[in-house]
Amino acid sequence: MVAVRRSNCYHKHGHQAKCNPSDYPYMIIFACIQIVLSQIPNFHKLSWLSILAAVMSFSYASIGIGLSIARVAGGAHARTTLTGRTVGVDLSGSEKVWRTFESIGNIAFAYAYSTVLVEIQDTLKSSPPENKVMKKATFVGISTTSLFYVLCGCVGYAAFGNDAPGNFLTGFGFFEPFWLIDLANVFIAIHLIGAYQVFCQPVFGFVEKWCNKRWPESKFITTERCIDVPLYGIYYLNLFRLVWRTVYVIVTAVIAMIFPFFNDVMGFLGAASFWPLTVYFPIEMHIARTKIPKFSFTWTWLKILSWTCLMVSVVAAAGSTQGLIKKIEKYKPFQTQE
């Protein structure tokens, strides 16, 4: 949302203009939207929002790829090297290592969907079998995702080279046509609105089920009130759901305002969740379910895979943490100058 305003500012005043609107009003708007959408009772009611978010994702990725191709076809010759930004010219050796670790965390976050996998399976019908449907859906989903990631990465690097921005749409790798940049950024905003709900609904459901079991006598937690909403129908209002989800959204919004560093935070979250949820638990469940003998060939390689991914998560977390610390040191909006 901020990028749309900046794009219009650059178009009006020139690409060298100082266009730095505050993020905070738009974070508050985003949080208000999420407070409303968070009242959707459960994951099963999110299909329309998930489809909308997926369409938006394809749309802005396609726009980014198209603009990159146009930039290369227009004769842009960006400086490129085999290993990216050059040590000693663009940055120090240690900084290069830290950024490499951080990027691994971003990749881990981009590919991991373990937090919603079980919820997705729970929405499937029993015929055909869930495992067959999920195997096909996972293959198609990962293949499509990889295709777009590789295209964005390779074509984007061809267009911008070593100076490629962290996000070539919101980071203003492009300025014109400004209306197309605005459209792509609107698509990103809509996608993130849907993505927020897809990732938060399992958390909401887990906490509410636990509280229902823990305090089954509490009317505040268990009572559902029927409300007839115009153009919607019957909505079941639960006061605990209303209060707890609203507080959750407010807390995440405040944290976002304190740490407005998208890539670093994504890298850290990806590193923290990648190994335990995406690697360790699935491997251990597979070993237990199929009764793989200890120290057998399959058991050994599965363990090696698990420990390798643990090391990947550790270095990615270290890189993201270092990046966060450096950004926090530089970002001091409330520091007064003498």
Side-chain angles (χ1 to χ4, degrees):
M1 291 189 287
V2 174
V4 171
R5 185 171 174 183
R6 289 177 64 196
S7 175
N8 294 335
C9 175
Y10 286 132
H11 177 72
K12 185 177 180 179
H13 301 290
H15 299 171
Q16 304 303 319
K18 293 183 179 180
C19 300
N20 296 305
S22 173
D23 296 351
Y24 297 147
Y26 299 96
M27 290 182 178
I28 293 171
I29 292 171
F30 186 85
C32 291
I33 294 171
Q34 295 303 339
I35 287 173
V36 174
L37 291 177
S38 291
Q39 303 314 311
I40 296 173
N42 54 56
F43 195 85
H44 302 268
K45 306 290 185 181
L46 278 182
S47 58
W48 65 273
L49 189 59
S50 182
I51 291 170
L52 179 63
V55 171
M56 295 297 102
S57 181
F58 285 125
S59 299
Y60 71 71
S62 299
I63 290 174
I65 292 168
L67 288 172
S68 297
I69 292 173
R71 182 182 173 91
V72 174
H77 299 290
R79 183 170 65 92
T80 60
T81 55
L82 183 63
T83 58
R85 301 192 71 179
T86 307
V87 174
V89 177
D90 299 316
L91 72 175
S92 65
S94 62
E95 187 68 18
K96 175 80 170 181
V97 172
W98 286 120
R99 290 192 181 188
T100 302
F101 289 166
E102 182 185 333
S103 68
I104 293 171
N106 276 294
I107 294 169
F109 183 87
Y111 269 106
Y113 57 98
S114 53
T115 52
V116 296
L117 179 63
V118 176
E119 298 290 339
I120 293 171
Q121 284 182 300
D122 195 39
T123 64
L124 299 176
K125 297 177 181 178
S126 57
S127 181
E130 292 179 10
N131 62 333
K132 290 185 178 180
V133 175
M134 281 307 301
K135 188 173 183 179
K136 185 183 295 184
T138 300
F139 176 78
V140 172
I142 293 295
S143 300
T144 306
T145 301
S146 298
L147 175 64
F148 274 88
Y149 285 170
V150 170
L151 282 173
C152 284
C154 294
V155 180
Y157 189 67
F160 298 105
N162 293 352
D163 295 322
N167 184 320
F168 60 9
L169 288 172
T170 61
F172 287 92
F174 303 102
F175 291 94
E176 300 293 341
F178 83 100
W179 60 269
L180 188 59
I181 307 300
D182 286 355
L183 185 63
N185 283 314
V186 169
F187 288 161
I188 293 175
I190 296 172
H191 168 73
L192 291 177
I193 287 170
Y196 185 103
Q197 287 301 312
V198 169
F199 278 95
C200 284
Q201 283 288 343
V203 178
F204 293 156
F206 172 79
V207 171
E208 285 155 19
K209 286 177 184 177
W210 183 85
C211 289
N212 270 277
K213 289 181 180 179
R214 180 68 177 81
W215 297 286
E217 307 275 332
S218 173
K219 291 183 179 181
F220 174 70
I221 293 175
T222 59
T223 302
E224 301 271 351
R225 294 175 172 81
C226 296
I227 299 176
D228 190 3
V229 180
L231 304 177
Y232 176 83
I234 300 298
Y235 177 77
Y236 294 94
L237 176 66
N238 178 278
L239 290 179
F240 172 68
R241 182 169 63 230
L242 175 65
V243 173
W244 127 253
R245 294 188 181 193
T246 301
V247 170
Y248 180 93
V249 174
I250 291 172
V251 169
T252 57
V254 170
I255 293 173
M257 291 178 180
I258 296 172
F259 302 106
F261 318 119
F262 189 79
N263 281 10
D264 303 279
V265 173
M266 289 298 98
F268 181 79
L269 292 176
S273 62
F274 173 67
W275 180 73
L277 298 179
T278 307
V279 181
Y280 176 75
F281 284 122
I283 284 178
E284 292 303 314
M285 286 189 286
H286 175 69
I287 290 173
R289 185 174 180 273
T290 55
K291 296 182 172 62
I292 298 175
K294 277 188 176 183
F295 306 110
S296 64
F297 179 82
T298 303
W299 183 91
T300 301
W301 279 109
L302 285 174
K303 290 294 183 179
I304 290 173
L305 173 63
S306 181
W307 283 103
T308 301
C309 290
L310 172 60
M311 288 186 285
V312 169
S313 286
V314 169
V315 298
S320 300
T321 303
Q322 192 267 353
L324 274 172
I325 291 170
K326 291 201 73 173
K327 291 279 179 66
I328 291 170
E329 288 175 350
K330 291 180 180 179
Y331 186 82
K332 296 178 181 178
F334 302 112
Q335 182 179 355
T336 57
Q337 295 182 352
E338 294 181 4

